[in-house]
Structures are given as structure tokens and as C-alpha cells.
Amino acid sequence: MNSDISEVLLAEPRGFCAGVDRAIEIVERAIAKFGAPIYVRHEIVHNTYVVNELKAKGAVFIEELSDVPPGATLVFSAHGVSKAVEQEARDRGFEIFDATCPLVTKVHVEVAKLAKEGYEFIMIGHKGHPEVEGTMGQLSSGIHLVEDVKDVARVAPLQTEKLAVVTQTTLSVDDAAEIAAAVRARFPAVREPKQQDICYATQNRQDAVKIMSPQVDLVIVVGSPTSSNSNRLRELAQRLGTESYMVDSAAELKPEWFEGKTRIGLTAGASAPEVLVREVIDRVRALGAVSVRKMDGIEETIKFPLPKGLKLDDIPPPGHIS
Ligand code: SF4
């Protein structure tokens, strides 16, 4: 029992965003409408708990479309897919539901539109992340990935008159701004998105950590190791000088992290359900926390519509994960 902890501060907003909520609901409704199994290409969202819950309900997660039997129903994950994957899925004749976050689709649409006008692209993002593969895969060529400022010095577009920047939606806002500034310095005529590609949920969760971090001795981020936006929250707190750890569940909390700490900050990535936050709170209470205080913050009201075919009110989402 650690008697130093007096308070837990809960970041606001935290946890599920509208894109994650929608993606999970698509899988749940597809199972309710068509029955198990429903195949999902890649983890629907990057969270172990969510994936395991959906597996228990009848979702089968695959990476290769060749692992999906003919005639099956297939859901694309919230991260989006390349044109090649989309085409292969159509060619194989699957019933497809696209759970790509509409804010990722917006980037895809922008890339397609500008490519028609002759633009080449610099994409700011993390190599190997499925969203980056999906966005870069909207084109067969002419889109170049930069992960940091050093990459900007190396990138070699074929021309510079028609060059546009796009970014992964879940980056560090500050890192992305620094990289975008380096792109601008090297290619002054570069076209930037009217509204930044980093999504509202990523921005809001990072803003909340910026407010919370200086007020606490330790920041705990609930999120899975594969979750880009969760990793960025932990890094941000650390960068602001506050010791910070990311946990996939309360079981990963280590009592020694809390030794000598008075105030604990708690947040969750956009793919981490509130139930996991509650479990962390229970564990920190058991370690001695006396009170839990929700911080003031932006209230998110955004909601994305479900795809056609899954909108029916007569398909109840059984036991929606929250
Ligand atoms: S983090 Fe942003 S881009 Fe990703 S699913 Fe949520 S709202 Fe969409």
C-alpha cells in the first residue's frame, strides 16, 4: 500500500474517438446481421482488449485476404487499405464493409484528387503503420514517406512544382509541425492541407495531456503497444518532464512506479475502452489513491454514420464494447 498517492487526475477527453466507436460497431453489427464468423482485415483498432472481445463474439482477424474463404463477409479496419487490397477483396467477391475512419478516407480522397491534377506527395508518417500503407497505397507511385526531419533532406520527388503534403492522422502534433516546417523550408511551393490531417481526437488527447502533465508526478496512458496515438501521448508526457508509462491493462501497472508520487495523471488512447481506465483507477485506489478528479476539457460530440447495409435499427449491437 502506497500512502503517498492523494489524487488521480483524469484527462478529458480520453479514450474512444468517433472513428473507433464506428469501426467496432460495424463489426458488431455485421456479426449480428450475418452471423459469425466475420473476417476483419488487420486489428479493427489497435487495442488488445477490443480485439479479444470481438474475437469472442465471432470476428476473425486476418492479414492476408487469401486466408478469407470465398463468399465471406470482410471488414476493413479503421486504418484504411490500399487500392490494391480493396481491388483484391472485390476480385475475391467478398461482401465488404469498410470501417476506415472517415477522417482517413478524407486523406485518401484528397490524395486521389490532387494526383489527378498531377501532384506528387510527401507523406509524414510512421513506416509500416497500416494507415500509412493504406494512404500511400492510394497511388502506385509519386508518394514519398518521411518519418523525420532527416528524411526531408533526403526525399527526392521527380518534380517540385506540384508537390503536396499529407500526414498520418495520429502523429505527434508538435513533431508533425516540425517536419512540415522542414518540408516547407526545402520546398517553399509545397501545398499543405487546408485543414491539417492530424485528426481532432489525436489533437484533443494531446492537448489534454499538455494541460495535465505539469500538474501530476506520473502519467499513465492506457493503450496497446501498436497504438500510434497512445504511444504519442506517453512520449508527450515524458517530453514535458513527467514520468510516464503506457499499459495495455491494469495488470501491467507496477507498484514501484507510484512510490513517492502524490498525484497521478491518467489518460487513454483513442482505441482504449473506458472499462480499462476504470480498472486502472481501481488498482491505483488499492495502492492508496484517495480521490479521482475529472479534469475540464473539450467535450467531443462528433459521430460518424454507419455504412449502408448496417444502419438498420433492427440490428442491435449486442453488448457494445465501451
Ligand atoms: S484516431 Fe482519429 S483518425 Fe483514428 S479512428 Fe479516431 S478519429 Fe479516426
Side-chain angles (χ1 to χ4, degrees):
M1 172 114 157
N2 185 322
S3 57
D4 292 327
I5 309 170
S6 65
E7 192 176 37
V8 177
L9 261 57
L10 274 178
E12 193 66 27
R14 64 177 180 282
F16 277 7
C17 60
V20 164
D21 240 338
R22 173 179 179 270
I24 294 170
E25 198 163 349
I26 287 173
V27 178
E28 288 178 332
R29 283 180 178 248
I31 293 169
K33 182 168 179 179
F34 303 104
I38 292 294
Y39 289 81
V40 183
R41 186 188 176 275
H42 196 70
E43 292 191 339
I44 185 74
V45 299
H46 284 152
N47 186 267
T48 312
Y49 178 93
V50 170
V51 166
N52 287 340
E53 286 283 296
L54 291 176
K55 270 187 195 165
K57 290 177 180 178
V60 176
F61 293 89
I62 50 94
E63 295 298 327
E64 300 299 330
L65 297 186
S66 53
D67 292 334
V68 183
T73 300
L74 175 72
V75 177
F76 293 145
S77 79
H79 314 97
V81 296
S82 66
K83 284 279 179 223
V85 168
E86 194 182 334
Q87 191 56 52
E88 186 187 345
R90 290 196 196 295
D91 291 347
R92 286 178 181 269
F94 304 133
E95 173 89 24
I96 300 167
F97 290 100
D98 188 358
T100 304
C101 177
L103 299 182
V104 174
T105 304
K106 191 188 92 181
V107 179
H108 291 185
V109 169
E110 184 74 359
V111 165
K113 187 180 129 237
L114 291 179
K116 275 203 191 113
E117 294 174 23
Y119 276 84
E120 225 173 304
F121 298 86
I122 292 179
M123 172 153 203
I124 304 173
H126 298 293
K127 194 172 182 191
H129 190 281
E131 182 190 327
V132 170
E133 287 175 355
T135 300
M136 294 194 59
Q138 295 304 300
L139 303 177
S140 51
S141 63
I143 185 159
H144 313 273
L145 181 65
V146 297
E147 293 193 273
D148 53 30
V149 169
K150 278 193 214 136
D151 284 349
V152 176
R154 283 193 287 259
V155 72
L158 296 177
Q159 49 80 34
T160 56
E161 297 83 60
K162 284 193 162 188
L163 199 56
V165 174
V166 289
T167 67
Q168 189 180 336
T169 56
T170 52
L171 298 178
S172 151
V173 173
D174 297 334
D175 286 353
E178 194 190 335
I179 299 166
V183 172
R184 221 176 294 128
R186 187 166 166 214
F187 307 108
V190 72
R191 178 181 171 134
E192 295 184 75
K194 275 194 219 89
Q195 273 192 320
Q196 63 161 8
D197 296 327
I198 293 177
C199 75
Y200 79 98
T202 298
Q203 172 90 53
N204 289 348
R205 280 150 193 69
Q206 289 179 19
D207 287 348
V209 165
K210 282 183 183 169
I211 294 167
M212 182 176 73
S213 288
Q215 302 183 46
V216 298
D217 306 306
L218 173 71
V219 168
I220 301 292
V221 179
V222 181
S224 290
T226 42
S227 164
S228 171
N229 80 90
S230 304
N231 278 289
R232 303 295 83 80
L233 294 176
R234 194 207 62 74
E235 283 169 10
L236 177 59
Q238 198 77 44
R239 210 178 275 181
L240 292 167
T242 311
E243 197 177 323
S244 177
Y245 300 98
M246 192 173 77
V247 293
D248 213 354
S249 71
E252 292 182 356
L253 293 169
K254 293 201 167 58
E256 57 266 31
W257 296 344
F258 298 87
E259 278 167 20
K261 309 290 195 311
T262 306
R263 291 172 113 191
I264 312 300
L266 179 56
T267 187
S271 46
E274 187 65 10
V275 61
L276 299 181
V277 173
R278 295 286 140 203
E279 285 173 15
V280 169
I281 291 173
D282 289 346
R283 188 81 200 287
V284 183
R285 275 193 200 277
L287 289 168
V290 183
S291 64
V292 177
R293 180 161 59 91
K294 201 166 99 170
M295 300 192 68
D296 290 336
I298 290 174
E299 194 188 329
E300 293 174 344
T301 52
I302 188 163
K303 227 181 150 11
F304 296 129
L306 291 166
K308 271 192 218 129
L310 292 178
K311 278 182 183 166
L312 304 175
D313 290 339
D314 58 358
I315 316 170
H320 187 53
I321 300 165
S322 58

